[in-house]
Amino acid sequence: MYKPVTISSSAMIKLLAMHLRNGLLDAKEFGKWCSRKKVDFIKTRAVLHNTGVDGKQKELQRLLYMLKQEYHEQVVTAIKNNLIHFQEELQGLKNSGVEFLGYVRKSPGCNDDTRIRLLQQMVQQLYKRSRVNKVYVSPICKSNDRLSTRDLPRPTRLLKKTDRHPWLMSR
């Protein structure tokens, strides 16, 4: 199902170009992005290989195991259908009276406008993908905070900046 491939960052970018935003088409920026996102591609050991015809050009390459081409369409179809089946199952439960509550949280660190925008995006994804009825939002908390102490004290400055109550958003 997988085959070993020795590949450079620039070759990886060419392979993924149709799926990358423009800022990531540069090898250096792609490497930084992979490192920030903890992509395992960067963690594998890099080996210097001669790439030019004259043997003078060198490039770092990494050994990866890539899905064989004959499986690509099957995997893409399975990924697309998985969400559809998941949503159909959720809709069946909702039709039988089950209500779904979603939860999003944002760690401390970014400015209020960015925080509100990111929280709203997460909330919208829960409505769109998971078909939740309501979403509970913890606007500023760490993942290891106790549930009983999250949102205490209430971040009132965020309340003033939102047109909706930031702790419970429903459609």
Side-chain angles (χ1 to χ4, degrees):
M1 194 165 183
Y2 295 93
K3 63 180 177 183
V5 177
T6 303
I7 191 166
S8 67
S9 291
S10 58
M12 180 64 75
I13 290 169
K14 287 178 188 171
L15 186 66
L16 298 173
M18 70 171 80
H19 306 289
L20 297 175
R21 65 177 194 267
N22 289 339
L24 295 177
L25 295 176
D26 172 68
K28 195 172 195 174
E29 290 304 312
F30 179 73
K32 287 179 187 176
W33 181 85
C34 288
S35 183
R36 276 193 317 272
K37 299 294 183 179
K38 297 180 175 78
V39 174
D40 287 340
F41 170 68
I42 295 299
K43 293 179 183 176
T44 61
R45 189 172 62 98
V47 178
L48 200 57
H49 286 274
N50 293 331
T51 57
V53 179
D54 57 3
K56 292 183 179 179
Q57 291 179 314
K58 296 183 186 252
E59 190 170 36
L60 285 176
Q61 296 185 342
R62 303 173 194 298
L63 177 64
L64 299 179
Y65 288 86
M66 297 179 74
L67 185 67
K68 291 180 181 176
Q69 184 69 37
E70 66 244 34
Y71 296 107
H72 286 198
E73 187 174 332
Q74 182 181 350
V75 169
V76 168
T77 301
I79 290 169
K80 287 167 54 178
N81 289 339
N82 189 38
L83 177 61
I84 293 167
H85 295 307
F86 171 70
Q87 289 175 332
E88 288 172 351
E89 184 70 24
L90 291 177
Q91 192 58 50
L93 290 168
K94 285 180 91 167
N95 292 345
S96 67
V98 174
E99 287 195 14
F100 293 100
L101 177 66
Y103 175 75
V104 297
R105 67 165 195 85
K106 194 76 189 94
S107 298
C110 56
N111 68 47
D112 288 351
D113 293 335
T114 301
R115 176 176 307 285
I116 291 167
R117 181 180 52 79
L118 293 173
L119 285 167
Q120 287 173 337
Q121 286 175 352
M122 289 188 279
V123 167
Q124 289 307 312
Q125 284 302 312
L126 281 173
Y127 283 129
K128 180 180 173 184
R129 296 175 65 89
S130 299
R131 312 283 168 87
V132 298
N133 300 89
K134 295 181 181 182
V135 178
Y136 180 83
V137 179
S138 289
I140 304 173
C141 73
K142 296 178 184 168
S143 61
N144 60 352
D145 286 350
R146 294 176 55 113
L147 287 174
S148 60
T149 60
R150 288 185 180 188
D151 308 321
L152 296 175
R154 290 184 166 211
T156 53
R157 72 178 189 276
L158 285 178
L159 275 173
K160 293 175 185 173
K161 291 186 176 192
T162 60
D163 56 346
R164 301 166 107 182
H165 195 285
W167 288 277
L168 188 60
M169 296 184 181
S170 59
R171 287 201 129 168

Coordinates of all heavy atoms in Angstrom, one line a residue, residues 103 105-108 115 136 138-153:
Y103 N -18.4 22.0 22.1 CA -17.5 22.8 23.0 C -16.3 23.2 22.3 O -15.6 22.5 21.5 CB -17.1 21.9 24.2 CG -16.1 22.6 25.1 CD1 -16.6 23.6 26.0 CD2 -14.8 22.2 25.1 CE1 -15.7 24.2 26.8 CE2 -13.9 22.9 26.0 CZ -14.3 23.9 26.8 OH -13.5 24.5 27.6
R105 N -12.7 25.9 22.9 CA -11.9 26.7 23.8 C -10.8 27.4 23.1 O -10.3 26.9 22.1 CB -11.5 25.9 25.0 CG -10.4 24.9 24.6 CD -9.7 24.4 25.8 NE -8.5 23.7 25.3 CZ -7.3 24.3 25.1 NH1 -7.2 25.5 25.3 NH2 -6.3 23.6 24.6
K106 N -10.3 28.4 23.6 CA -9.1 29.1 23.0 C -8.1 29.4 24.2 O -8.5 29.9 25.2 CB -9.5 30.4 22.4 CG -8.5 31.0 21.5 CD -8.4 30.3 20.2 CE -7.3 30.7 19.4 NZ -6.1 29.9 19.5
S107 N -6.9 28.9 24.0 CA -5.8 29.2 24.9 C -5.5 30.7 25.0 O -5.7 31.4 24.1 CB -4.6 28.4 24.5 OG -4.8 27.0 24.5
P108 N -4.9 31.1 26.1 CA -4.5 32.5 26.2 C -3.4 32.8 25.2 O -2.7 31.9 24.8 CB -3.9 32.6 27.6 CG -4.4 31.4 28.4 CD -4.7 30.3 27.4
R115 N -9.0 36.3 18.7 CA -9.6 35.3 19.5 C -11.1 35.1 19.1 O -11.5 34.0 18.9 CB -9.5 35.7 21.0 CG -10.2 34.7 22.0 CD -9.9 35.1 23.4 NE -8.5 35.3 23.7 CZ -7.7 34.3 23.8 NH1 -8.1 33.1 23.8 NH2 -6.4 34.5 24.1
Y136 N -20.9 25.5 23.6 CA -20.4 26.2 24.8 C -19.0 26.6 24.5 O -18.2 25.8 23.9 CB -20.4 25.2 26.0 CG -19.8 25.8 27.3 CD1 -20.7 26.6 28.1 CD2 -18.5 25.7 27.6 CE1 -20.2 27.2 29.2 CE2 -18.0 26.3 28.8 CZ -18.9 27.1 29.5 OH -18.4 27.7 30.6
S138 N -15.4 28.4 25.8 CA -14.5 28.9 26.9 C -13.5 29.8 26.1 O -12.6 29.3 25.5 CB -13.7 27.8 27.5 OG -14.6 27.0 28.4
P139 N -13.7 31.1 26.2 CA -12.9 32.0 25.4 C -11.4 32.2 25.8 O -10.6 32.4 24.9 CB -13.6 33.4 25.5 CG -14.5 33.3 26.7 CD -14.7 31.8 26.9
I140 N -11.1 32.0 27.0 CA -9.7 32.0 27.5 C -9.5 31.0 28.5 O -9.9 31.2 29.7 CB -9.3 33.4 28.0 CG1 -9.6 34.5 27.0 CG2 -7.9 33.4 28.4 CD1 -9.5 35.9 27.6
C141 N -8.9 29.9 28.2 CA -8.5 28.8 29.2 C -7.5 27.9 28.6 O -7.3 27.8 27.4 CB -9.8 28.1 29.6 SG -10.4 26.9 28.4
K142 N -6.8 27.3 29.5 CA -5.8 26.3 29.1 C -6.4 24.9 29.1 O -7.4 24.7 29.8 CB -4.6 26.3 30.1 CG -3.8 27.6 30.0 CD -2.7 27.6 31.1 CE -2.1 29.0 31.1 NZ -1.2 29.1 32.2
S143 N -5.9 24.0 28.3 CA -6.5 22.7 28.2 C -6.4 21.9 29.5 O -7.3 21.1 29.8 CB -5.8 21.9 27.1 OG -4.4 21.7 27.4
N144 N -5.5 22.2 30.4 CA -5.4 21.5 31.7 C -6.1 22.2 32.8 O -6.1 21.8 33.9 CB -3.9 21.3 32.0 CG -3.1 22.5 32.2 OD1 -3.6 23.6 31.9 ND2 -1.9 22.4 32.7
D145 N -6.8 23.4 32.5 CA -7.6 24.0 33.5 C -8.8 23.1 33.9 O -9.4 22.4 33.1 CB -8.2 25.3 33.0 CG -7.2 26.4 32.9 OD1 -6.1 26.3 33.4 OD2 -7.5 27.5 32.3
R146 N -9.1 23.1 35.2 CA -10.3 22.4 35.6 C -11.6 23.0 35.0 O -11.7 24.2 34.9 CB -10.4 22.4 37.1 CG -9.2 21.7 37.8 CD -9.3 21.9 39.3 NE -10.6 21.4 39.8 CZ -10.8 20.3 40.5 NH1 -9.8 19.7 41.0 NH2 -12.1 20.0 40.9
L147 N -12.5 22.1 34.7 CA -13.8 22.6 34.1 C -14.5 23.5 35.0 O -15.1 24.5 34.6 CB -14.7 21.4 33.7 CG -14.2 20.6 32.5 CD1 -15.1 19.4 32.3 CD2 -14.3 21.5 31.2
S148 N -14.4 23.2 36.3 CA -15.1 24.1 37.3 C -14.6 25.5 37.4 O -15.3 26.4 37.9 CB -15.1 23.4 38.7 OG -13.8 23.2 39.1
T149 N -13.4 25.7 37.0 CA -12.8 27.0 37.1 C -12.6 27.8 35.8 O -12.1 28.9 35.8 CB -11.4 27.0 37.9 OG1 -10.5 26.1 37.1 CG2 -11.6 26.4 39.3
R150 N -12.9 27.1 34.7 CA -12.8 27.8 33.4 C -13.7 29.0 33.4 O -14.8 28.9 33.9 CB -13.1 26.8 32.3 CG -12.0 25.8 32.1 CD -12.2 24.9 30.9 NE -11.1 23.9 30.8 CZ -10.9 23.1 29.8 NH1 -11.8 23.1 28.8 NH2 -9.9 22.3 29.8
D151 N -13.2 30.0 32.7 CA -14.0 31.2 32.5 C -14.3 32.0 33.7 O -15.2 32.8 33.8 CB -15.4 30.9 31.8 CG -15.2 30.1 30.6 OD1 -14.2 30.3 29.8 OD2 -16.0 29.2 30.3
L152 N -13.5 31.7 34.8 CA -13.6 32.5 36.0 C -12.3 33.2 36.2 O -11.2 32.5 36.2 CB -13.9 31.6 37.2 CG -15.3 30.9 37.2 CD1 -15.4 30.0 38.3 CD2 -16.4 31.9 37.1
P153 N -12.2 34.5 36.4 CA -13.3 35.4 36.3 C -13.8 35.6 34.8 O -13.0 35.3 33.9 CB -12.8 36.7 36.8 CG -11.3 36.7 36.5 CD -11.0 35.2 36.7

